[in-house]
Amino acid sequence: MNLPRLLLLSVCLCLSARATETAPKQFRAGAAAANISPWMGISINGNMHDHKGTNLHDQLHARCVVLDDGTTRIAFVITDNCLIYREIFDAAKKIVHDKIGFPTDHILMSATHTHSAPAVVSIFQSDADKEYQHFLTLRLADAVLQAVNNLRPAKIAWAVGNEPRHVSNRRWFMQPTVTNINLITGGRDAVKMNPRPGNPDLVGPAGPTDPEVPVVFIKGLDDKPIALLANYSMHYVGDVGGDSIYSADYFGAFCERVKQLLGADHQDPPFVAMLSNGTSGDCSSTQFRETPTNEPPFTKINRAANDVADVALAAIKDAPFHDWVEIKSAQKEILLGVRKATPVELEKSKERLAKATRHNGQFGGWSPDIYHREAVLLNDFPDQVPLLLQTYRIGDLAIASVPCEVFAEIGLEIKKQSPFKPTFTIELANGYNGYLPTPAQHKLGGYETWRARSSYLETHASEKIFTTLMEMFGSLK
Ligand SMILES: [Zn+2]
């Protein structure tokens, strides 16, 4: 190569390097929803009894949005299911990583907690369906892969609305005359979960609620909506009209409603709305002071979905859009102890189970035998379990995620102590490790604290999780 050509080439290289340095970074987003509707006959978990699905009321989805600031790419996948094991999420993330190199620790996958979905976790008297677990794994991966295919230049806004009408604390102090048996100890619990609404023996709720509706809205540069991710701390609604019906509950109805209100029904690529569960381990949609009225199935679901959708869209209406924001992500695994029965308790549970009677293979009602069986099954768990905690920062907005059914007061404390405003938490994310009460709530007792595969972490788990999340937020500054 002669000298002038060499000089010219080096000038060009120099200019192109400078162009990359100074070119504004492009913010991009893509969304997709993978249909995860089951076939009939799979167990539906989330209740004490097992029921097989015989009717599909509405389609179930894994809804995904991928955000990319030009340097860092993250994904949210919000899934219409009650509880999802970490192994399923990990396997789905690995598929995505193996196919396109997406870092697995930049993918947040969570369950909405509809109680009308096929069982992929074995709990109480329902067993996970292996075939559906495999199907779900593939479809979770597809949701991310398709969302990446749909990436395009985008802008993002966020805001926080307020909807106190559809959330209440479900753990209540009752008059001392009320018998309130702890099914593990046989003693009296200080609080009762889901007392009969309008009950004259109600004294007061044992904890707060979080009525906030954080919303993240992503549009294309052409103003076409790409995705809307909201968060609300309410357990689920559940008036689906039976125990054998598959439904996405109000989480799915919210997504349909948002799509209608935005006039984004028939877009290409499709607009995706998603409603993540906040910190609702002790919260309900029931107003316990009111005497309930009989309403047709899905009335309450649609009312909650429509109201939360209205609040979300009103909140985001005047929020400023950012053409670019920095994205950061941190993930950490912590080890927590498992609460197991003592050897004496375990022997007693085994003796009781040997004599217990089942009807159609199941224990009745709120039988203590259900918990004797749980004690035996929980004994096979390791003494400590790893928990995956994950945090994202999107501009000044931060998101924490916890693989538990988190009590509202913990979520409120995360919001208060977070260095980023606003902050919200997505529960049942990246795995399933049972209820997360505070140590003080453990002392009060109640269903959420009863030792079972639904509640087994050490009593100080919430403090360790909180401290770790705050450290992780510190690393995102
Ligand atoms: Zn639940």
Side-chain angles (χ1 to χ4, degrees), residues 113 115 235 405 435:
H113 205 54
H115 275 221
H235 212 73
E405 296 189 73
Y435 280 102

Side-chain angles (χ1 to χ4, degrees), residues 89-320:
F89 286 139
D90 281 354
K93 292 174 191 180
K94 187 174 181 303
I95 293 171
V96 177
H97 178 262
D98 290 352
K99 284 193 190 293
I100 60 170
F102 203 130
T104 56
D105 58 353
H106 286 200
I107 302 174
L108 183 162
M109 292 183 168
S110 76
T112 57
H113 205 54
T114 167
H115 275 221
S116 306
V120 292
V121 157
S122 298
I123 192 154
F124 294 121
Q125 304 195 75
S126 299
D127 288 328
D129 188 286
K130 294 242 167 351
E131 211 180 340
Y132 186 78
Q133 282 182 329
H134 179 65
F135 168 76
L136 179 63
T137 305
L138 300 178
R139 297 303 282 152
L140 285 167
D142 283 351
V144 185
L145 294 168
Q146 190 54 40
V148 170
N149 289 339
N150 290 341
L151 276 169
R152 60 189 193 271
K155 53 189 175 178
I156 184 167
W158 55 85
V160 179
N162 216 277
E163 177 49 281
R165 292 173 297 174
H166 293 287
V167 64
S168 62
N169 197 284
R170 72 181 196 184
R171 286 163 54 83
W172 284 73
F173 293 107
M174 307 295 286
Q175 294 294 350
T177 47
V178 174
T179 330
N180 193 22
I181 302 293
N182 181 307
L183 289 192
I184 306 289
T185 64
R188 187 182 188 275
D189 275 337
V191 302
K192 186 172 178 57
M193 185 265 283
N194 283 344
R196 183 168 48 81
N199 193 327
D201 292 322
L202 293 172
V203 175
T209 60
D210 179 355
E212 286 191 346
V213 185
V215 196
V216 186
F217 192 22
I218 302 115
K219 284 183 180 182
L221 297 185
D222 56 3
D223 271 334
K224 262 194 191 172
I226 293 176
L228 183 144
L229 166 68
N231 179 264
Y232 193 47
S233 295
M234 190 253 275
H235 212 73
Y236 74 110
V237 179
D239 65 329
V240 297
D243 295 320
S244 299
I245 296 167
Y246 301 120
S247 168
D249 203 278
Y250 93 110
F251 306 98
F254 168 91
C255 299
E256 285 305 310
R257 181 66 174 171
V258 167
K259 208 193 287 183
Q260 278 172 10
L261 291 172
L262 290 174
D265 289 69
H266 300 287
Q267 266 189 204
D268 184 16
F271 162 76
V272 180
M274 52 194 96
L275 179 58
S276 56
N277 206 323
T279 50
S280 69
D282 55 345
C283 292
S284 165
S285 61
T286 304
Q287 296 302 325
F288 290 96
R289 291 280 189 204
E290 293 166 18
T291 310
T293 48
N294 264 337
E295 294 180 297
F298 288 95
T299 307
K300 262 185 91 179
I301 282 180
N302 287 326
R303 189 161 56 234
N306 293 353
D307 287 346
V308 177
D310 283 346
V311 166
L313 291 187
I316 205 73
K317 191 168 164 274
D318 298 318

Side-chain angles (χ1 to χ4, degrees), residues 9-56:
L9 184 67
S10 55
V11 167
C12 287
L13 282 174
C14 214
L15 280 176
S16 70
R18 188 165 301 155
T20 334
E21 266 168 34
T22 52
K25 283 184 185 168
Q26 176 98 75
F27 184 77
R28 295 190 304 151
N35 191 311
I36 55 165
S37 297
W39 45 96
M40 302 300 162
I42 305 179
S43 282
I44 293 176
N45 63 3
N47 296 305
M48 287 283 153
H49 279 96
D50 183 55
H51 299 272
K52 309 289 184 216
T54 56
N55 185 24
L56 175 80

